[in-house]
């Protein structure tokens, strides 16, 4: 997938809610003890939803990007507060941006990279100057379901612009791959999703991520060792490590962007937030690969190159590491109150 | 301008009147006031009420109460100024009589609160505050007064015990008041240990929720001779407003509306604050009582609560204040409160206050406020 | 409520107050007449999003519709331009609040009309 003009990242912003639920709390309530695969997960407060977190991440991205006008706002999420009524217009209003193409995108955990791909096309064709792609979720697992250990909340936003000395990274390449695979779903009007347990592994996550990354390598003549960093979608701490290994990446390439153990799976924000963690420390010239995964199923993979602008731009960054380390632990009861479990 | 007198008063007990409607309460108090000066046929009914539309789904209280009293035909209307509705109703009738338009009026304040759930009562009380910038964000009326109290304590090093003084005095005064909601003494420890409602305000810092109605007959000097009982002159009645929300004020601890209304009222009565020997202050919350006596010039800025603690506002030995318990002890059926204050002042100045009688009182001042001193109404009364 | 909220969304989302064209004084909530010079020429103006706590409380008996948020922390914030604003303060506890604390405005859910009605968003504050 090539663009007419080169497209880069003008700004990025991440939002993580303050609260963390240790998975030992979930295990205490539902399993009689132990812990989940991740240590903690980020939990949105009682007055937060994907609209509020999208706005917070977007404001941070816009602060860094320093662009006055946006041409598009896409919010990728599977936890919309309204089934019908866009989140993207709430973000547009909060940013004071009205002459924009605004839409919500849904593709399980890859809705945000999909938004990045579309905005890349709009900017790359010259149709718009700047576009905002946001990945945000307040992921919900049925109480007691294994999924509940990992389902987290967070947001990551990217302002994409035509490449210039002001863009901090250039999107060098991008591919998308999809099949009809029913590994995880939520029917209209259902509160919690369902999944097919181990089926979410090989036929779903691994097949799609491996295929998209191999396609990226093949189409653009790239290999794992060309990248300083790689970021994968992280539904749990194990899958991204395993898929990186299969694709020839080394542990140090994926370490920075692997956030699941501390915050869980933030769904649409998961791999975009990993990318932000990488951009918080990358050097000019570094190449970064990001591959998302969305159930249903598909994967987008991109190759980026960090530019000289990174040093100046990220002075404005609210660093992912700081957002992760600044937190307040809560117990299961508070989590249940915040997220409306068992109340109705 | 003609002189205006309070000819008689009547009121219900304040409390949970589960079995009485807003009209039942109004009529009960109205009949009592009318009976006190049987020869006077009022030419006007003015009803003070804050939120009958919310509490009873009933507006149009003027006509409703006129009919309820069997006075169909009587001109009647409702006056609303939040918690100052009662005082404002009295002021309105006072001006009609003083100007010569009419010779007599029945003024009646009523509030039916207990038909609502606690959350609904909070919401109804909060309609005194900005719907768009206060209510919208979930700030209740108590929470605003709590923030005011915290600021007051912070600015003037006021202690928890200082703040408790007005509530303790109020309860002590209410013990012998037959119509009071709380006839039980409380200690400083009781206040300090009572449930937190909105920190630093505790349950016993706040006036209670209760139903009640109070009424009075006002007459001009021209018909005062038809009254058998004692008369008290309303020497003046004035009101003023402040910036709507207290957080919009440059000095949030300045009750400027009270200051202005009191200044005007004292000026037009030809009296000074030092002539006042009986006081009714709007002690809806402990800190509000303190800020009120400060605005009236009775206590130095920041000293109101400490002065109360030292006995300055005791009914026995101090400047007799709220001797039937005030809003805190007698109760605060919001739209009726301003009338209770004047009715109680009438009882004090006519020597009819029974066990609550303050000694040698001849000039009374009643201060009634709506919102956080957003509207203030001040009446000055004189023994005839 | 849904319609009055719609009308005020820029005030709630972006803290847009007004500024006097004649004397440059700023106000939030917006006023129709300048409090300083009496001018009626007032134009919309973004308020600063940071300030300090002037006073605060922990409300334990909320208004109807806010029960889920009990106990609720409320504060009055003096923004950098001197304007005072009332709002909730979140992501902290009353023990961690003091007069003078620095805060910043964030975008949060203020209230919602049940599970089928509209959701109303607006500013709240967090410690900076
Ligand atoms: Zn001006």
């Amino acid at each position: 997938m090539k663009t007419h003009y080169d497209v880069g990242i003008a700004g990025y912003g991440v939002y993580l809610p303050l609260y963390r639920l240790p998975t030992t709390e979930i295990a205490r309530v539902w399993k009689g003890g132990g812990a989940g695969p991740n240590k903690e997960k980020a939990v949105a407060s009682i007055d937060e939803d994907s609209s509020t977190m999208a706005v917070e991440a977007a404001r941070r991205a816009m602060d860094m990007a320093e662009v006055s006008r946006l041409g598009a706002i896409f919010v990728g999420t599977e936890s919309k507060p309204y089934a019908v009524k866009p989140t993207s217009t709430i973000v547009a209003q909060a940013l004071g941006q009205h002459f924009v193409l605004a839409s919500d995108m849904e593709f399980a955990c890859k809705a945000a990279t999909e938004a990045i791909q579309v905005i890349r096309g709009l900017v790359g064709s010259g149709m718009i100057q700047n576009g905002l792609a946001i990945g945000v979720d307040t992921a919900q697992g049925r109480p007691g379901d294994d999924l509940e250990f990992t389902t987290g909340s967070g947001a990551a936003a990217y302002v994409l612009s035509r490449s210039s000395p002001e863009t901090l990274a250039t999107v060098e390449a991008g591919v998308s791959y999809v099949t009809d695979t029913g590994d995880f779903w939520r029917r209209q009007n259902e509160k919690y999703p369902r999944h097919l347990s181990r089926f979410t592994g090989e036929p779903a996550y691994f097949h799609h991520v491996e295929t998209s990354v191999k396609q990226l390598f093949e189409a653009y003549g790239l290999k794992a060792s060309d990248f300083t960093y790689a970021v994968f979608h992280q539904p749990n701490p194990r899958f991204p490590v395993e898929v990186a290994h299969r694709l020839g990446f080394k542990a140090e390439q994926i370490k920075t962007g692997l956030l699941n153990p501390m915050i869980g799976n933030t769904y649409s924000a998961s791999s975009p937030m990993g990318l932000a963690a990488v951009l918080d420390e990358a050097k000019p010239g570094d190449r970064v690969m990001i591959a998302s995964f969305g159930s249903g199923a598909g994967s987008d993979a991109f190759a980026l190159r960090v530019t000289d602008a990174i040093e100046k731009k990220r002075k404005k960054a609210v660093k992912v590491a700081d957002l992760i380390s600044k937190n307040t632990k809560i117990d299961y009861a508070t989590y249940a109150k915040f997220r409306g479990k068992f109340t109705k | 301008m003609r002189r205006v007198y309070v000819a008689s008063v009547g009121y219900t007990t304040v409390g949970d009147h589960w079995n009485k409607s807003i009209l039942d309460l109004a009529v009960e108090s109205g009949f009592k006031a009318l009976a006190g000066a049987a020869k006077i046929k009022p030419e006007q009914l003015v009803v003070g009420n804050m939120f009958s539309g919310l509490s009873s789904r009933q507006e149009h209280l003027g006509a409703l109460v006129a009919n309820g009293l069997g006075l169909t035909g009587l001109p009647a209307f409702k006056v609303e100024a939040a918690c100052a509705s009662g005082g404002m109703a009295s002021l309105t009738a006072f001006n009609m009589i003083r100007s010569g338009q009419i010779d007599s009026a029945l003024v009646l304040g009523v509030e039916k609160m207990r038909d609502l759930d606690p959350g609904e009562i909070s919401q109804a009380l909060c309609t005194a505050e900005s719907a768009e910038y206060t209510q919208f964000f979930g700030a209740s009326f108590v929470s605003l007064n709590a923030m005011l109290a915290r600021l007051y304590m912070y600015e003037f090093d006021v202690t928890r015990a200082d703040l408790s003084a007005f509530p303790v005095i109020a309860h002590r005064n209410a013990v012998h008041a037959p119509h009071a909601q709380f006839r039980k003494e409380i200690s400083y420890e009781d206040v300090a240990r009572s449930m937190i409602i909105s920190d630093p305000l505790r349950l016993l810092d706040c006036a209670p929720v209760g139903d009640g109605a109070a009424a009075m007959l006002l007459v001009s000097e021209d018909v005062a001779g038809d009254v058998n009982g004692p008369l008290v002159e309303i020497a003046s009645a004035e009101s003023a407003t402040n910036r709507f929300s207290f957080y919009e004020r440059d000095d949030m601890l300045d009750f400027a509306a009270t200051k202005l209304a009191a200044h005007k009222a004292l000026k037009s009565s030809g009296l000074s604050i030092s002539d006042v020997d009986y006081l009714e202050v709007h002690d809806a919350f402990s800190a509000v009582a303190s800020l009120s006596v400060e605005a009236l010039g009775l206590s130095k800025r920041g000293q109101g609560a400490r002065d109360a603690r030292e006995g300055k506002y005791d009914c026995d030995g101090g400047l007799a204040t709220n001797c039937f318990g005030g809003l805190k002890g007698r109760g605060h059926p919001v739209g009726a409160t301003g009338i209770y204050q004047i009715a109680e002042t009438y009882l004090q100045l006519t020597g009819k206050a029974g066990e609550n009688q303050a000694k040698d009182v001849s000039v009374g001042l009643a201060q009634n406020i709506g919102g956080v001193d957003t509207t203030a109404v001040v009446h000055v009364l004189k023994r005839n | 409520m849904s319609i009055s909220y719609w009308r005020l969304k820029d005030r709630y989302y972006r803290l847009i107050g007004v500024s006097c064209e004649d004397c440059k004084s700023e106000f939030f909530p917006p006023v129709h007449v300048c409090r300083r010079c009496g001018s009626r020429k007032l134009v919309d103006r973004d308020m600063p999003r940071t300030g300090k706590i002037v006073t605060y409380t922990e409300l334990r008996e909320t208004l109807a519709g806010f029960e889920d948020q009990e106990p609720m922390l409320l504060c009055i914030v003096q923004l950098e331009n001197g304007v005072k604003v009332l709002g909730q303060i979140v992501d902290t506890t009353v023990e961690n609040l003091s007069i003078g604390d620095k805060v910043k405005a964030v975008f949060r859910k203020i209230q919602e009309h049940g599970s089928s009605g509209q959701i109303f968003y607006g500013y709240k504050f967090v410690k900076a």
Side-chain angles (χ1 to χ4, degrees):
Chain A
M1 289 176 168
K2 289 193 168 68
T3 55
H4 183 70
Y5 297 108
D6 280 344
V7 177
I9 297 169
Y12 64 92
V14 165
Y15 180 80
L16 260 187
L18 179 69
Y19 299 101
R20 299 288 179 279
L21 178 65
T23 56
T24 49
E25 267 295 290
I26 302 170
R28 177 179 68 83
V29 171
W30 290 108
K31 316 282 178 196
N38 48 316
K39 190 164 159 271
E40 293 170 357
K41 68 171 186 173
V43 178
S45 189
I46 195 159
D47 60 353
E48 295 186 290
D49 61 20
S50 50
S51 302
T52 65
M53 296 195 299
V55 168
E56 290 295 326
R59 282 190 172 141
R60 287 174 180 168
M62 291 295 283
D63 269 357
M64 191 193 289
E66 295 180 303
V67 299
S68 55
R69 286 280 308 274
L70 292 173
I73 297 173
F74 293 131
V75 179
T77 179
E78 59 127 72
S79 39
K80 278 161 61 79
Y82 289 95
V84 176
K85 187 176 180 293
T87 297
S88 51
T89 54
I90 297 169
V91 175
Q93 190 77 44
L95 298 180
Q97 297 286 340
H98 296 282
F99 291 96
V100 290
L101 178 61
S103 189
D104 295 358
M105 292 189 165
E106 187 279 311
F107 196 146
C109 298
K110 91 164 185 79
T113 53
E114 203 181 12
I116 288 171
Q117 193 73 287
V118 175
I119 287 182
R120 188 177 158 234
L122 292 169
V123 174
S125 68
M127 194 170 156
I128 62 172
Q129 287 293 317
N130 311 292
L132 175 64
I134 305 168
V136 58
D137 268 306
T138 51
Q140 293 267 48
R142 184 179 300 283
D145 189 330
D146 281 350
L147 198 62
E148 196 184 16
F149 285 120
T150 51
T151 46
S153 299
Y158 287 85
V159 175
L160 300 182
S161 306
R162 199 182 295 179
S163 281
S164 77
E166 293 299 308
T167 47
L168 58 92
T170 307
V171 185
E172 292 188 318
V175 300
S176 294
Y177 173 71
V178 301
T179 72
D180 179 7
T181 300
D183 55 319
F184 168 105
W185 65 93
R186 178 166 64 82
R187 293 288 300 274
Q188 186 81 287
N189 304 325
E190 287 292 309
K191 184 166 182 182
Y192 298 112
R194 290 179 58 184
H195 55 90
L196 289 180
S197 190
R198 286 178 66 83
F199 185 74
T200 60
E202 289 304 334
Y205 181 86
F206 291 102
H207 171 71
H208 292 85
V209 174
E210 284 176 49
T211 306
S212 73
V213 173
K214 282 175 183 162
Q215 170 69 9
L216 181 79
F217 286 0
E218 200 170 297
Y220 296 92
L222 295 164
K223 55 187 186 302
S225 58
D226 292 336
F227 295 93
T228 317
Y229 299 96
V231 179
F232 294 95
H233 175 56
Q234 30 205 278
N236 54 47
R238 193 172 62 79
F239 280 15
V241 174
E242 171 65 21
V243 83
H245 176 71
R246 289 186 195 181
L247 289 164
F249 290 97
K250 298 204 162 55
E252 59 266 30
Q253 287 169 287
I254 63 164
K255 196 178 67 187
T256 304
L258 187 57
L259 311 176
N260 182 295
M262 293 85 80
I263 60 170
N265 179 5
T266 54
Y267 279 46
S268 298
S270 175
S271 53
M273 203 183 298
L275 174 62
V278 165
L279 294 173
D280 281 346
E281 67 165 51
K283 292 182 200 58
D286 281 350
R287 264 190 165 149
V288 185
M289 198 222 59
I290 170 175
S292 64
F293 170 71
S295 290
S299 170
D300 304 309
F302 301 92
L304 295 96
R305 192 187 285 274
V306 178
T307 72
D308 293 343
I310 188 75
E311 308 282 8
K312 183 185 74 167
K313 284 279 192 168
R314 75 172 158 221
K315 284 188 184 133
K316 284 206 156 186
V318 178
K319 294 231 162 76
V320 176
D322 295 338
L323 291 170
I324 289 173
S325 64
K326 188 196 171 204
N327 68 69
T328 298
K329 310 283 187 260
I330 54 172
D331 59 13
Y332 196 91
T334 304
Y335 157 73
K337 177 186 175 187
F338 282 178
R339 300 322 301 160
K341 310 261 179 194
F342 311 120
T343 54
K344 288 178 185 105
Chain B
M1 294 292 180
R2 299 184 306 167
R3 290 175 189 277
V4 181
Y5 298 93
V6 180
S8 65
V9 300
Y11 42 81
T12 70
T13 56
V14 180
D16 299 337
H17 289 287
W18 304 115
N19 215 14
K20 289 175 187 167
S21 71
I22 189 164
L23 182 60
D24 295 337
L25 293 164
V27 167
E28 183 181 329
S29 69
F31 280 169
K32 285 180 184 168
L34 290 167
K39 280 192 197 159
I40 302 295
K41 299 288 172 238
E43 295 170 45
Q44 175 72 49
L45 169 66
V46 183
V47 180
N49 169 267
M50 178 175 171
F51 51 70
S52 63
L54 292 171
S55 66
S56 311
R57 292 175 176 268
Q58 183 68 61
E59 287 297 358
H60 210 174
L61 285 194
L64 183 84
V65 176
N67 277 280
L69 291 166
L71 299 173
T72 308
L74 181 69
F77 58 85
K78 163 175 161 171
V79 169
E80 188 278 316
C83 308
S85 298
M88 199 63 89
S90 170
L91 180 150
T92 305
F94 165 78
N95 282 333
M96 291 175 80
I97 296 170
R98 192 165 73 125
S99 67
Q101 187 187 347
I102 53 171
D103 278 313
S104 61
L106 179 64
V107 185
L108 193 153
V110 62
E111 205 73 58
K112 180 71 200 171
M113 303 179 79
R114 276 293 180 206
D115 281 1
L116 297 174
D117 295 335
E120 293 171 333
I121 294 171
S122 296
Q123 224 164 20
L125 288 169
C126 207
T127 57
E129 297 293 333
S130 166
E132 296 176 344
Y133 296 97
T134 301
Q135 294 177 49
F136 176 75
F137 292 97
S140 70
F141 193 56
V142 182
S143 72
L144 297 176
N145 282 281
M147 288 191 275
L148 183 77
R150 183 182 302 282
L151 191 63
Y152 180 65
M153 294 171 85
Y154 176 85
E155 287 290 333
F156 300 115
D157 292 320
V158 172
T159 65
R160 173 64 260 179
D162 295 337
L163 208 59
S164 302
F166 271 110
V168 167
I169 296 167
H171 276 249
R172 188 204 301 148
N173 293 347
V175 169
H176 299 293
H179 61 286
Q181 184 164 6
F182 288 120
R183 301 182 58 185
K184 180 173 153 286
E185 282 205 52
I186 54 170
S187 66
Y188 281 81
E189 290 81 66
D190 291 335
V191 183
R193 282 189 207 141
S194 63
M195 189 172 69
I196 292 176
I197 304 293
S198 190
D199 147 84
L201 292 185
R202 292 169 180 269
L203 183 67
L204 293 177
D205 284 301
C206 311
V209 167
D211 305 327
M216 58 187 184
L217 264 176
L218 301 188
V219 296
S220 74
E221 60 184 75
D222 295 345
V223 300
D226 292 340
V227 180
N228 289 326
L231 296 170
V232 164
E233 184 188 350
I234 300 183
S236 63
E238 295 284 351
S239 74
T241 54
N242 201 337
R243 283 190 189 164
F244 195 74
S245 299
F246 88 95
Y247 52 85
E248 294 179 287
R249 300 170 193 164
D250 298 331
D251 181 349
M252 293 189 282
L253 297 174
D254 180 18
F255 272 17
T258 290
K259 235 181 220 175
L260 190 56
H263 175 77
K264 286 162 68 183
L266 288 167
K267 195 176 169 197
S268 66
S269 64
L271 296 162
S272 84
I273 192 68
S274 57
D275 295 321
V276 173
D277 48 26
Y278 184 75
L279 184 66
E280 283 287 334
V281 289
H282 191 98
D283 60 330
F285 300 94
S286 47
V288 169
S290 308
L291 289 167
S292 294
V293 292
E294 292 170 24
L296 291 169
L298 292 164
S299 280
K300 286 208 185 78
R301 206 165 143 79
Q303 291 297 319
R306 275 188 282 265
D307 284 351
R309 200 174 163 196
E310 285 161 13
K312 179 165 181 176
Y313 299 102
D314 282 358
C315 289
D316 188 8
L319 166 56
T321 301
N322 293 0
C323 294
F324 289 91
L327 282 66
K328 178 73 196 84
R330 171 239 300 131
H332 180 32
V334 283
T337 289
I339 310 294
Y340 275 101
Q341 291 180 320
I342 297 167
E344 289 165 357
T345 305
Y346 168 88
L347 296 178
Q348 292 289 350
L349 299 186
T350 54
K352 293 172 25 171
E355 288 195 70
N356 298 77
Q357 185 64 51
K359 282 193 203 104
D360 305 324
V361 289
S362 57
V363 175
L365 184 147
Q367 172 241 13
N368 183 203
I369 63 178
V372 183
D373 188 58
T374 304
T375 294
V377 182
V378 171
H379 283 70
V380 175
L381 297 103
K382 281 198 301 197
R383 192 166 63 194
N384 203 30
Chain C
M1 169 92 199
S2 296
I3 294 165
S4 61
Y5 162 78
W6 169 81
R7 196 160 52 232
L8 293 162
K9 58 193 177 297
D10 278 337
R11 312 245 181 253
Y12 292 156
Y13 288 14
R14 296 170 59 199
L15 261 180
I16 292 184
V18 292
S19 160
C20 172
E21 284 201 294
D22 290 324
C23 79
K24 308 299 170 203
S25 296
E26 298 186 352
F27 302 96
F28 190 98
V31 295
H32 292 91
V33 179
C34 175
R35 292 225 173 95
R36 183 152 164 250
C37 75
S39 170
R40 294 181 190 181
K41 282 185 257 164
L42 294 142
V43 291
D44 280 359
R45 174 68 47 90
D46 281 50
M47 295 292 113
R49 299 182 64 82
T50 53
K52 60 182 199 317
I53 295 178
V54 174
T55 182
Y56 61 93
T57 187
E58 181 189 61
L59 175 62
R60 297 190 181 179
E61 284 188 3
T62 50
L63 298 180
F66 290 87
E67 296 87 347
D68 288 354
Q69 297 180 57
E70 245 171 57
M72 178 189 281
L73 296 174
L74 289 151
C75 63
I76 290 167
V77 170
Q78 183 154 36
L79 302 173
E80 304 290 349
N81 61 353
V83 167
K84 294 196 286 287
V85 180
L86 174 144
Q88 281 190 47
I89 180 158
V90 292
D91 285 1
T92 187
T93 57
V94 72
E95 294 78 22
N96 289 310
L97 290 181
S98 299
I99 289 173
D101 283 356
K102 289 207 166 89
V103 297
K104 62 179 180 189
V106 293
F107 186 79
R108 293 286 175 114
K109 196 153 73 172
I110 307 297
Q111 46 172 307
E112 56 191 311
H113 284 177
S115 59
S116 66
Q118 284 199 24
I119 304 166
F120 305 118
Y121 298 96
Y123 54 84
K124 292 188 184 182
F125 295 92
V126 296
K127 285 183 72 165

